[in-house]
Amino acid sequence: MAKVILTQLKTKNSTQEDLKKTIKKALEQLDFDFKKGINSIVIKPNLCYYWDYSTGETTDPRVVATIIDELRNMIGKNVAISVAEADASAMKTKYSFDVLGYREMCKEKEVNLVNLCEGEIINKTAKVGDKELNLPVNTILLKADLVVNVPKLKTHNVMGFTCAMKNMFGAIAKPYKYSYHKVLAHAIVGINKEIKSDIVIVDGIVAKGRYPKKLGVIMTANDVLANDFVAARIMSFNPQRVKYLKLAAREHVGEANKIDIIEDNVKMSEVKAAFPCYSHFRHRLSWRLQLKLLRLYGRIVKDVIPPVLED
Amino acid sequence: MGKLHLLNALHIDDVSVIAAADKSEKNRKSVERYGVKTYDDYRELIDTEKLDAIIVSLPNFLKKEGVFYAAEKGVDVFLDKPLARNLAEANEIIQKVEREKVRLMVGVNYRYFESVQKLKEVFDEGRVGNVIITTSDLILNGPFSHPLVPAPVPEWWLDKKLSGGGALLDLGYHLIDILVWMFGDLEIAHSELRHSLNLPVEDAATLMLKSKNTEATCIVNAGWFSRSVFPDFNFRINIHGTAGYDSTDHYAPKNMRVHAAKEGLKNFLRRIAMKEVHYLSYTYYYASFFDILKIFFESINKGTDFPIPLNDELETMRIIDTVYDKHEEK
């Protein structure tokens, strides 16, 4: 049975000690067998923008630093750990690693910092439903004994809902991932079929919906789909109506039904009530309508449309 | 900004857009659909076409080269701000245009916001008395802004040698330019540059300037560090005087979407009534780009002086250069 553990930090400003205790306890509760010959670990945070953790958009480097410490405690000091992220359409890791504090953190923790678009990359063909997708993947992810997915608890302007499965989409070794946006649901499911997240640790310390909010939540799971089903409910989405979650359940990417939700020191309903919900459907509809009206206005009045609003 | 200038120029009366140059084929194609001839090298464009003026919208490290080439061919220039990467380069540019007897106007479009124009009027008329303190803020996401179709930040922005600087030169330039316009000579009393994003260029700058003429204290806060999405616009100038205070916020739209709807409707009615449309007024922000370009071309056509003295731009560059020098010494 898939397990999802919901915990909340005791302090609002997430002290190091609090973070350490919370992540340690959550990992212990997962009952994951850390003794089964793990030599290499890849941690995949969400670093898709240049906006730091305080905006709720990207994973807090302190969370990743704590995970590194705890994994070393549980597995051994000599385990090879890499923190990995790929370049994105509007983000280059060579800057974001510095901007978001990852280069400094990885140096301090003596772990590798990897741009997944560099190094040995192989093309995987993922069959999802009736579609076949070509997905370039860095072999570091394929060779890892343990993949730790560290997404954010936040909403996404295209998908609406986003969490662990969408975070893995960011691992595709191709900078211009915008090219997948027409088949986004299939691409998300495809990459999660190719790369299995062994553990998911969601950084909900600062969550992001309509605005960023300090929730102090850490969610841990041993199943990527189960994690996303729970996260979706927290963010007031019906997981059965999120296209890629539905597709992932159909493709058996993970467990969608038998989920053991452990509410450690916080109730799911409390987190849901505190999350700053945002109707992305309404937002997208309103943007689309505004852009359509703008184009109509431009044609009738012959006014200038600024290039920034071109699609 | 080059494409925006081109679209604006196409809508200005008595202006014929002859051609555009861009290294990128995609960009060239995107303007060819407006019937504009294109070149992949601006030098070829200048050599081939007969021009009265040229808009130079190049990355900072190419500005000097672009202005020099146009000046040598006797073409007047509209140049995107900042004037240059540093004071020495700014002086070279100004000396060159003077030597070649061509005219240069820097595109400091913030002067043409309705809110700034109104605040300047209040200031000039002394309606708030003697201004003792002025504060100015321009804090956005700088080069990290996200268009509808995401694109990577051009790397020259983050290389100090190529860009000349960060938030101070990019956004602080507008604020200092307006303060120079209002107060004249300014001296630096204090300055602070921050690198909170761990980039080679600063992402935040705070300056305290003193007006030599009026002894007013002027605070400048410029930053690239804040996530903002169009039409959010975190810009204001507040003047605090002996007879009261005023702010650009008093003259700026409270709600950008309501403003867009109102202005769109007004323009629609203007079009029906065959009156002149106020281009881009619905965006508030981009209208200033249209207005400043229109004034540039009107001055060219009428043979009058440009309304933005180059000395103001040199003074702005002097202040910025002094701050950078001071912090490099540290």
Side-chain angles (χ1 to χ4, degrees), chain A residues 122-151:
Chain A
I122 58 168
N123 282 314
K124 287 281 198 180
T125 305
K127 196 170 178 324
V128 182
D130 56 351
K131 286 188 170 63
E132 270 195 7
L133 295 163
N134 182 23
L135 302 169
V137 179
N138 195 305
T139 52
I140 193 172
L141 282 162
L142 302 170
K143 289 175 185 168
D145 299 318
L146 185 76
V147 174
V148 184
N149 186 338
V150 194

PDB file of all heavy atoms in Angstrom, chain A residues 122-151:
ATOM      1  N   ILE A 122      20.635   9.614 -22.965  1.00  0.00           N
ATOM      2  CA  ILE A 122      20.120   8.654 -23.950  1.00  0.00           C
ATOM      3  C   ILE A 122      18.646   8.970 -24.230  1.00  0.00           C
ATOM      4  O   ILE A 122      17.951   9.526 -23.382  1.00  0.00           O
ATOM      5  CB  ILE A 122      20.292   7.176 -23.503  1.00  0.00           C
ATOM      6  CG1 ILE A 122      19.594   6.912 -22.171  1.00  0.00           C
ATOM      7  CG2 ILE A 122      21.752   6.775 -23.437  1.00  0.00           C
ATOM      8  CD1 ILE A 122      19.493   5.431 -21.860  1.00  0.00           C
ATOM      9  N   ASN A 123      18.243   8.623 -25.440  1.00  0.00           N
ATOM     10  CA  ASN A 123      16.854   8.884 -25.819  1.00  0.00           C
ATOM     11  C   ASN A 123      15.980   7.695 -25.458  1.00  0.00           C
ATOM     12  O   ASN A 123      16.231   6.580 -25.892  1.00  0.00           O
ATOM     13  CB  ASN A 123      16.757   9.154 -27.318  1.00  0.00           C
ATOM     14  CG  ASN A 123      17.195  10.563 -27.631  1.00  0.00           C
ATOM     15  OD1 ASN A 123      16.803  11.518 -26.964  1.00  0.00           O
ATOM     16  ND2 ASN A 123      18.049  10.702 -28.620  1.00  0.00           N
ATOM     17  N   LYS A 124      14.982   7.958 -24.652  1.00  0.00           N
ATOM     18  CA  LYS A 124      14.044   6.910 -24.254  1.00  0.00           C
ATOM     19  C   LYS A 124      12.750   7.106 -25.044  1.00  0.00           C
ATOM     20  O   LYS A 124      12.294   8.247 -25.225  1.00  0.00           O
ATOM     21  CB  LYS A 124      13.721   7.027 -22.757  1.00  0.00           C
ATOM     22  CG  LYS A 124      14.865   6.598 -21.862  1.00  0.00           C
ATOM     23  CD  LYS A 124      14.879   5.107 -21.800  1.00  0.00           C
ATOM     24  CE  LYS A 124      15.657   4.568 -20.652  1.00  0.00           C
ATOM     25  NZ  LYS A 124      15.618   3.095 -20.651  1.00  0.00           N
ATOM     26  N   THR A 125      12.170   6.013 -25.479  1.00  0.00           N
ATOM     27  CA  THR A 125      10.876   6.122 -26.146  1.00  0.00           C
ATOM     28  C   THR A 125       9.819   5.657 -25.153  1.00  0.00           C
ATOM     29  O   THR A 125       9.783   4.482 -24.769  1.00  0.00           O
ATOM     30  CB  THR A 125      10.839   5.265 -27.427  1.00  0.00           C
ATOM     31  OG1 THR A 125      11.948   5.667 -28.227  1.00  0.00           O
ATOM     32  CG2 THR A 125       9.552   5.474 -28.205  1.00  0.00           C
ATOM     33  N   ALA A 126       8.989   6.592 -24.735  1.00  0.00           N
ATOM     34  CA  ALA A 126       7.954   6.256 -23.759  1.00  0.00           C
ATOM     35  C   ALA A 126       6.618   6.094 -24.482  1.00  0.00           C
ATOM     36  O   ALA A 126       6.217   6.971 -25.253  1.00  0.00           O
ATOM     37  CB  ALA A 126       7.858   7.353 -22.714  1.00  0.00           C
ATOM     38  N   LYS A 127       5.973   4.973 -24.218  1.00  0.00           N
ATOM     39  CA  LYS A 127       4.658   4.755 -24.823  1.00  0.00           C
ATOM     40  C   LYS A 127       3.603   5.104 -23.766  1.00  0.00           C
ATOM     41  O   LYS A 127       3.556   4.480 -22.695  1.00  0.00           O
ATOM     42  CB  LYS A 127       4.524   3.298 -25.278  1.00  0.00           C
ATOM     43  CG  LYS A 127       3.372   3.126 -26.242  1.00  0.00           C
ATOM     44  CD  LYS A 127       3.376   1.759 -26.887  1.00  0.00           C
ATOM     45  CE  LYS A 127       2.213   1.523 -27.816  1.00  0.00           C
ATOM     46  NZ  LYS A 127       0.947   2.074 -27.477  1.00  0.00           N
ATOM     47  N   VAL A 128       2.837   6.112 -24.062  1.00  0.00           N
ATOM     48  CA  VAL A 128       1.788   6.538 -23.123  1.00  0.00           C
ATOM     49  C   VAL A 128       0.477   6.590 -23.890  1.00  0.00           C
ATOM     50  O   VAL A 128       0.318   7.407 -24.803  1.00  0.00           O
ATOM     51  CB  VAL A 128       2.107   7.926 -22.516  1.00  0.00           C
ATOM     52  CG1 VAL A 128       1.033   8.312 -21.505  1.00  0.00           C
ATOM     53  CG2 VAL A 128       3.480   7.951 -21.881  1.00  0.00           C
ATOM     54  N   GLY A 129      -0.431   5.726 -23.533  1.00  0.00           N
ATOM     55  CA  GLY A 129      -1.695   5.651 -24.268  1.00  0.00           C
ATOM     56  C   GLY A 129      -1.402   5.323 -25.718  1.00  0.00           C
ATOM     57  O   GLY A 129      -0.629   4.413 -26.023  1.00  0.00           O
ATOM     58  N   ASP A 130      -1.938   6.159 -26.617  1.00  0.00           N
ATOM     59  CA  ASP A 130      -1.703   5.901 -28.040  1.00  0.00           C
ATOM     60  C   ASP A 130      -0.526   6.714 -28.581  1.00  0.00           C
ATOM     61  O   ASP A 130      -0.280   6.762 -29.775  1.00  0.00           O
ATOM     62  CB  ASP A 130      -2.983   6.226 -28.832  1.00  0.00           C
ATOM     63  CG  ASP A 130      -3.446   7.656 -28.578  1.00  0.00           C
ATOM     64  OD1 ASP A 130      -2.883   8.310 -27.666  1.00  0.00           O
ATOM     65  OD2 ASP A 130      -4.358   8.124 -29.280  1.00  0.00           O
ATOM     66  N   LYS A 131       0.206   7.354 -27.672  1.00  0.00           N
ATOM     67  CA  LYS A 131       1.309   8.213 -28.125  1.00  0.00           C
ATOM     68  C   LYS A 131       2.668   7.617 -27.757  1.00  0.00           C
ATOM     69  O   LYS A 131       2.830   7.016 -26.693  1.00  0.00           O
ATOM     70  CB  LYS A 131       1.189   9.606 -27.483  1.00  0.00           C
ATOM     71  CG  LYS A 131       0.078  10.442 -28.074  1.00  0.00           C
ATOM     72  CD  LYS A 131       0.136  11.865 -27.531  1.00  0.00           C
ATOM     73  CE  LYS A 131      -0.797  12.785 -28.264  1.00  0.00           C
ATOM     74  NZ  LYS A 131      -2.218  12.451 -28.157  1.00  0.00           N
ATOM     75  N   GLU A 132       3.621   7.848 -28.672  1.00  0.00           N
ATOM     76  CA  GLU A 132       5.002   7.463 -28.383  1.00  0.00           C
ATOM     77  C   GLU A 132       5.821   8.732 -28.311  1.00  0.00           C
ATOM     78  O   GLU A 132       5.811   9.547 -29.229  1.00  0.00           O
ATOM     79  CB  GLU A 132       5.540   6.554 -29.491  1.00  0.00           C
ATOM     80  CG  GLU A 132       5.281   5.102 -29.221  1.00  0.00           C
ATOM     81  CD  GLU A 132       6.102   4.177 -30.100  1.00  0.00           C
ATOM     82  OE1 GLU A 132       6.975   4.642 -30.834  1.00  0.00           O
ATOM     83  OE2 GLU A 132       5.832   2.965 -30.040  1.00  0.00           O
ATOM     84  N   LEU A 133       6.496   8.909 -27.181  1.00  0.00           N
ATOM     85  CA  LEU A 133       7.240  10.156 -27.002  1.00  0.00           C
ATOM     86  C   LEU A 133       8.721   9.880 -26.885  1.00  0.00           C
ATOM     87  O   LEU A 133       9.140   8.928 -26.230  1.00  0.00           O
ATOM     88  CB  LEU A 133       6.776  10.874 -25.721  1.00  0.00           C
ATOM     89  CG  LEU A 133       5.349  11.372 -25.699  1.00  0.00           C
ATOM     90  CD1 LEU A 133       4.927  11.663 -24.283  1.00  0.00           C
ATOM     91  CD2 LEU A 133       5.216  12.614 -26.543  1.00  0.00           C
ATOM     92  N   ASN A 134       9.494  10.757 -27.518  1.00  0.00           N
ATOM     93  CA  ASN A 134      10.934  10.650 -27.426  1.00  0.00           C
ATOM     94  C   ASN A 134      11.404  11.537 -26.267  1.00  0.00           C
ATOM     95  O   ASN A 134      11.236  12.755 -26.309  1.00  0.00           O
ATOM     96  CB  ASN A 134      11.538  11.115 -28.761  1.00  0.00           C
ATOM     97  CG  ASN A 134      13.039  10.990 -28.759  1.00  0.00           C
ATOM     98  OD1 ASN A 134      13.601  10.205 -27.995  1.00  0.00           O
ATOM     99  ND2 ASN A 134      13.685  11.766 -29.611  1.00  0.00           N
ATOM    100  N   LEU A 135      11.959  10.929 -25.232  1.00  0.00           N
ATOM    101  CA  LEU A 135      12.340  11.692 -24.047  1.00  0.00           C
ATOM    102  C   LEU A 135      13.831  11.503 -23.747  1.00  0.00           C
ATOM    103  O   LEU A 135      14.244  10.422 -23.328  1.00  0.00           O
ATOM    104  CB  LEU A 135      11.514  11.237 -22.833  1.00  0.00           C
ATOM    105  CG  LEU A 135       9.999  11.336 -22.959  1.00  0.00           C
ATOM    106  CD1 LEU A 135       9.315  10.624 -21.810  1.00  0.00           C
ATOM    107  CD2 LEU A 135       9.551  12.792 -23.011  1.00  0.00           C
ATOM    108  N   PRO A 136      14.638  12.533 -23.956  1.00  0.00           N
ATOM    109  CA  PRO A 136      16.051  12.409 -23.605  1.00  0.00           C
ATOM    110  C   PRO A 136      16.240  12.408 -22.084  1.00  0.00           C
ATOM    111  O   PRO A 136      15.651  13.246 -21.388  1.00  0.00           O
ATOM    112  CB  PRO A 136      16.698  13.650 -24.230  1.00  0.00           C
ATOM    113  CG  PRO A 136      15.601  14.574 -24.583  1.00  0.00           C
ATOM    114  CD  PRO A 136      14.302  13.835 -24.555  1.00  0.00           C
ATOM    115  N   VAL A 137      16.996  11.451 -21.604  1.00  0.00           N
ATOM    116  CA  VAL A 137      17.165  11.301 -20.150  1.00  0.00           C
ATOM    117  C   VAL A 137      18.653  11.175 -19.822  1.00  0.00           C
ATOM    118  O   VAL A 137      19.383  10.443 -20.501  1.00  0.00           O
ATOM    119  CB  VAL A 137      16.422  10.039 -19.636  1.00  0.00           C
ATOM    120  CG1 VAL A 137      16.608   9.867 -18.138  1.00  0.00           C
ATOM    121  CG2 VAL A 137      14.945  10.097 -19.976  1.00  0.00           C
ATOM    122  N   ASN A 138      19.086  11.851 -18.779  1.00  0.00           N
ATOM    123  CA  ASN A 138      20.468  11.738 -18.325  1.00  0.00           C
ATOM    124  C   ASN A 138      20.640  10.392 -17.619  1.00  0.00           C
ATOM    125  O   ASN A 138      19.809  10.021 -16.770  1.00  0.00           O
ATOM    126  CB  ASN A 138      20.794  12.889 -17.372  1.00  0.00           C
ATOM    127  CG  ASN A 138      22.283  13.034 -17.149  1.00  0.00           C
ATOM    128  OD1 ASN A 138      22.955  12.081 -16.756  1.00  0.00           O
ATOM    129  ND2 ASN A 138      22.788  14.223 -17.403  1.00  0.00           N
ATOM    130  N   THR A 139      21.728   9.695 -17.942  1.00  0.00           N
ATOM    131  CA  THR A 139      21.898   8.336 -17.399  1.00  0.00           C
ATOM    132  C   THR A 139      22.120   8.344 -15.881  1.00  0.00           C
ATOM    133  O   THR A 139      21.924   7.316 -15.233  1.00  0.00           O
ATOM    134  CB  THR A 139      23.068   7.605 -18.079  1.00  0.00           C
ATOM    135  OG1 THR A 139      24.213   8.445 -17.998  1.00  0.00           O
ATOM    136  CG2 THR A 139      22.756   7.278 -19.524  1.00  0.00           C
ATOM    137  N   ILE A 140      22.503   9.480 -15.342  1.00  0.00           N
ATOM    138  CA  ILE A 140      22.693   9.545 -13.881  1.00  0.00           C
ATOM    139  C   ILE A 140      21.403   9.164 -13.151  1.00  0.00           C
ATOM    140  O   ILE A 140      21.426   8.527 -12.093  1.00  0.00           O
ATOM    141  CB  ILE A 140      23.211  10.935 -13.444  1.00  0.00           C
ATOM    142  CG1 ILE A 140      23.710  10.880 -12.001  1.00  0.00           C
ATOM    143  CG2 ILE A 140      22.172  12.022 -13.600  1.00  0.00           C
ATOM    144  CD1 ILE A 140      24.420  12.134 -11.526  1.00  0.00           C
ATOM    145  N   LEU A 141      20.271   9.525 -13.773  1.00  0.00           N
ATOM    146  CA  LEU A 141      18.976   9.196 -13.168  1.00  0.00           C
ATOM    147  C   LEU A 141      18.651   7.712 -13.332  1.00  0.00           C
ATOM    148  O   LEU A 141      18.060   7.091 -12.451  1.00  0.00           O
ATOM    149  CB  LEU A 141      17.865  10.032 -13.811  1.00  0.00           C
ATOM    150  CG  LEU A 141      17.759  11.482 -13.331  1.00  0.00           C
ATOM    151  CD1 LEU A 141      16.958  12.315 -14.309  1.00  0.00           C
ATOM    152  CD2 LEU A 141      17.126  11.555 -11.951  1.00  0.00           C
ATOM    153  N   LEU A 142      19.052   7.181 -14.468  1.00  0.00           N
ATOM    154  CA  LEU A 142      18.741   5.772 -14.747  1.00  0.00           C
ATOM    155  C   LEU A 142      19.627   4.833 -13.929  1.00  0.00           C
ATOM    156  O   LEU A 142      19.217   3.737 -13.563  1.00  0.00           O
ATOM    157  CB  LEU A 142      18.899   5.489 -16.244  1.00  0.00           C
ATOM    158  CG  LEU A 142      18.019   6.347 -17.169  1.00  0.00           C
ATOM    159  CD1 LEU A 142      18.427   6.177 -18.615  1.00  0.00           C
ATOM    160  CD2 LEU A 142      16.541   5.997 -16.999  1.00  0.00           C
ATOM    161  N   LYS A 143      20.856   5.299 -13.646  1.00  0.00           N
ATOM    162  CA  LYS A 143      21.798   4.446 -12.916  1.00  0.00           C
ATOM    163  C   LYS A 143      21.656   4.577 -11.395  1.00  0.00           C
ATOM    164  O   LYS A 143      22.231   3.780 -10.651  1.00  0.00           O
ATOM    165  CB  LYS A 143      23.229   4.799 -13.319  1.00  0.00           C
ATOM    166  CG  LYS A 143      23.586   4.374 -14.741  1.00  0.00           C
ATOM    167  CD  LYS A 143      24.979   4.873 -15.096  1.00  0.00           C
ATOM    168  CE  LYS A 143      25.317   4.570 -16.556  1.00  0.00           C
ATOM    169  NZ  LYS A 143      26.533   5.294 -16.975  1.00  0.00           N
ATOM    170  N   ALA A 144      20.944   5.613 -10.944  1.00  0.00           N
ATOM    171  CA  ALA A 144      20.852   5.857  -9.495  1.00  0.00           C
ATOM    172  C   ALA A 144      20.139   4.709  -8.778  1.00  0.00           C
ATOM    173  O   ALA A 144      19.160   4.149  -9.289  1.00  0.00           O
ATOM    174  CB  ALA A 144      20.108   7.165  -9.242  1.00  0.00           C
ATOM    175  N   ASP A 145      20.627   4.379  -7.594  1.00  0.00           N
ATOM    176  CA  ASP A 145      19.961   3.345  -6.790  1.00  0.00           C
ATOM    177  C   ASP A 145      18.729   3.918  -6.089  1.00  0.00           C
ATOM    178  O   ASP A 145      17.829   3.181  -5.704  1.00  0.00           O
ATOM    179  CB  ASP A 145      20.928   2.800  -5.730  1.00  0.00           C
ATOM    180  CG  ASP A 145      22.151   2.166  -6.374  1.00  0.00           C
ATOM    181  OD1 ASP A 145      21.970   1.459  -7.373  1.00  0.00           O
ATOM    182  OD2 ASP A 145      23.271   2.404  -5.885  1.00  0.00           O
ATOM    183  N   LEU A 146      18.757   5.216  -5.889  1.00  0.00           N
ATOM    184  CA  LEU A 146      17.636   5.854  -5.196  1.00  0.00           C
ATOM    185  C   LEU A 146      17.388   7.233  -5.816  1.00  0.00           C
ATOM    186  O   LEU A 146      18.313   8.046  -5.923  1.00  0.00           O
ATOM    187  CB  LEU A 146      17.988   6.023  -3.701  1.00  0.00           C
ATOM    188  CG  LEU A 146      16.890   6.555  -2.792  1.00  0.00           C
ATOM    189  CD1 LEU A 146      15.858   5.488  -2.492  1.00  0.00           C
ATOM    190  CD2 LEU A 146      17.484   7.055  -1.467  1.00  0.00           C
ATOM    191  N   VAL A 147      16.159   7.465  -6.248  1.00  0.00           N
ATOM    192  CA  VAL A 147      15.790   8.787  -6.779  1.00  0.00           C
ATOM    193  C   VAL A 147      14.849   9.446  -5.775  1.00  0.00           C
ATOM    194  O   VAL A 147      13.799   8.898  -5.440  1.00  0.00           O
ATOM    195  CB  VAL A 147      15.115   8.672  -8.172  1.00  0.00           C
ATOM    196  CG1 VAL A 147      14.608  10.035  -8.639  1.00  0.00           C
ATOM    197  CG2 VAL A 147      16.095   8.099  -9.193  1.00  0.00           C
ATOM    198  N   VAL A 148      15.286  10.594  -5.279  1.00  0.00           N
ATOM    199  CA  VAL A 148      14.472  11.323  -4.303  1.00  0.00           C
ATOM    200  C   VAL A 148      13.917  12.566  -4.999  1.00  0.00           C
ATOM    201  O   VAL A 148      14.664  13.440  -5.444  1.00  0.00           O
ATOM    202  CB  VAL A 148      15.309  11.725  -3.058  1.00  0.00           C
ATOM    203  CG1 VAL A 148      14.422  12.396  -2.016  1.00  0.00           C
ATOM    204  CG2 VAL A 148      16.013  10.514  -2.471  1.00  0.00           C
ATOM    205  N   ASN A 149      12.611  12.603  -5.093  1.00  0.00           N
ATOM    206  CA  ASN A 149      11.914  13.679  -5.797  1.00  0.00           C
ATOM    207  C   ASN A 149      11.471  14.708  -4.745  1.00  0.00           C
ATOM    208  O   ASN A 149      10.736  14.368  -3.820  1.00  0.00           O
ATOM    209  CB  ASN A 149      10.715  13.020  -6.510  1.00  0.00           C
ATOM    210  CG  ASN A 149       9.952  13.958  -7.404  1.00  0.00           C
ATOM    211  OD1 ASN A 149      10.010  15.169  -7.237  1.00  0.00           O
ATOM    212  ND2 ASN A 149       9.212  13.379  -8.354  1.00  0.00           N
ATOM    213  N   VAL A 150      11.961  15.956  -4.888  1.00  0.00           N
ATOM    214  CA  VAL A 150      11.645  16.979  -3.864  1.00  0.00           C
ATOM    215  C   VAL A 150      10.907  18.155  -4.525  1.00  0.00           C
ATOM    216  O   VAL A 150      11.497  19.209  -4.786  1.00  0.00           O
ATOM    217  CB  VAL A 150      12.925  17.468  -3.138  1.00  0.00           C
ATOM    218  CG1 VAL A 150      12.560  18.237  -1.871  1.00  0.00           C
ATOM    219  CG2 VAL A 150      13.835  16.304  -2.791  1.00  0.00           C
ATOM    220  N   PRO A 151       9.619  17.961  -4.799  1.00  0.00           N
ATOM    221  CA  PRO A 151       8.864  19.025  -5.484  1.00  0.00           C
ATOM    222  C   PRO A 151       8.347  20.085  -4.511  1.00  0.00           C
ATOM    223  O   PRO A 151       8.571  20.003  -3.307  1.00  0.00           O
ATOM    224  CB  PRO A 151       7.694  18.249  -6.082  1.00  0.00           C
ATOM    225  CG  PRO A 151       7.437  17.165  -5.092  1.00  0.00           C
ATOM    226  CD  PRO A 151       8.764  16.807  -4.485  1.00  0.00           C
TER     227      PRO A 151
END
